[in-house]
Amino acid sequence: MTMDFTFGARASCSDGHCGELTRTIFDPAKRTVTHLVIESGHHAASGRLVPIELADAAGGEISLRCTLAEFDRLDPSEVVELVQGLDYGSSYGADAVTGYGNVGSMGVGGSASGMGIGASLGHHTPTVTSENVPEGEGEVARHDHVHASDGLIGQLNGFAVDPGDYRVTHILLREGHLWGRRDIAIPVSAVTSADPIIRLNITKKQVEELPPRN
């Protein structure tokens, strides 16, 4: 038996709901999941890195062996640091720019790598926001592209993990077109790289011939 961790799955502590799975941190050398990133809605700043040892998955949901108070004391999923030597002045006014064309209070940022530069309202010192990934480890997120040996095949939807040692056994893929989508599990032995695009050593046809995930 494996545990399936699907992106967007609801996560609950022993005393209440705490968010949903948005990213997974993994050890690329051992091919093990080390942390789950659980965030509450669109409030990434309240997200936490949850050690995989605290998590169980069943029925499409994630149960954490901690209380909400203990969850709040876990390492944050994002790190915000001040940038020394820069000053935006007051040119942004009430609406600071965020991401690539979006508007919000956190300033300029939100690249695909999770890096951003910004300044909160009324404060002229810019900040850099980065996703918190332990040194030597990698991350994958919902909708990361999966490429077969002959082209794009779908989007990542999660992982199947051995509950004994937390090794990834399969990647869960959302495959197909709008009217024919299905979830399938691809053995991790077919994965050649995941930095950040997940690449396989099998063809589209071989992927399509895999059975659907029950």
Side-chain angles (χ1 to χ4, degrees):
M1 295 292 293
T2 62
M3 294 190 296
D4 287 4
F5 291 100
T6 56
F7 294 118
R10 175 186 173 90
S12 297
C13 296
S14 58
D15 54 351
H17 172 68
C18 58
E20 62 181 41
L21 178 63
T22 61
R23 291 185 285 127
T24 302
I25 309 297
F26 66 97
D27 182 328
K30 298 179 180 178
R31 292 198 170 189
T32 57
V33 172
T34 62
H35 296 81
L36 306 177
V37 177
I38 305 296
E39 296 178 349
S40 177
H42 299 290
H43 303 290
S46 64
R48 292 292 182 267
L49 290 184
V50 179
I52 188 66
E53 294 86 356
L54 297 181
D56 292 308
E61 297 193 356
I62 298 171
S63 300
L64 303 182
R65 292 188 292 276
C66 65
T67 65
L68 288 169
E70 291 169 334
F71 175 83
D72 287 338
R73 291 195 291 270
L74 295 173
D75 289 340
S77 62
E78 290 188 345
V79 177
V80 180
E81 299 176 307
L82 297 179
V83 177
Q84 301 299 323
L86 294 177
D87 194 328
Y88 284 127
S90 58
S91 60
Y92 286 117
D95 291 326
V97 179
T98 184
Y100 295 95
N102 295 324
V103 176
S105 63
M106 291 302 292
V108 180
S111 69
S113 65
M115 299 295 292
I117 299 177
S120 59
L121 298 183
H123 197 289
H124 304 317
T125 303
T127 61
V128 172
T129 302
S130 59
E131 294 173 347
N132 189 4
V133 179
E135 185 175 357
E137 298 187 358
E139 66 171 347
V140 289
R142 190 176 194 174
H143 303 316
D144 279 356
H145 288 166
V146 180
H147 285 251
S149 59
D150 53 351
L152 178 66
I153 193 64
Q155 295 177 327
L156 185 66
N157 200 39
F159 290 92
V161 175
D162 185 321
D165 56 12
Y166 307 111
R167 287 183 179 272
V168 176
T169 63
H170 298 77
I171 64 170
L172 306 181
L173 176 73
R174 174 58 57 89
E175 180 268 340
H177 301 288
L178 183 61
W179 301 113
R181 289 185 174 177
R182 60 184 184 137
D183 292 328
I184 56 177
I186 300 174
V188 72
S189 59
V191 178
T192 60
S193 65
D195 188 24
I197 296 173
I198 297 175
R199 299 188 183 278
L200 309 176
N201 59 14
I202 57 178
T203 66
K204 293 180 181 181
K205 181 174 178 58
Q206 288 173 310
V207 171
E208 291 170 356
E209 290 173 348
L210 290 172
R213 189 69 169 176
N214 293 327

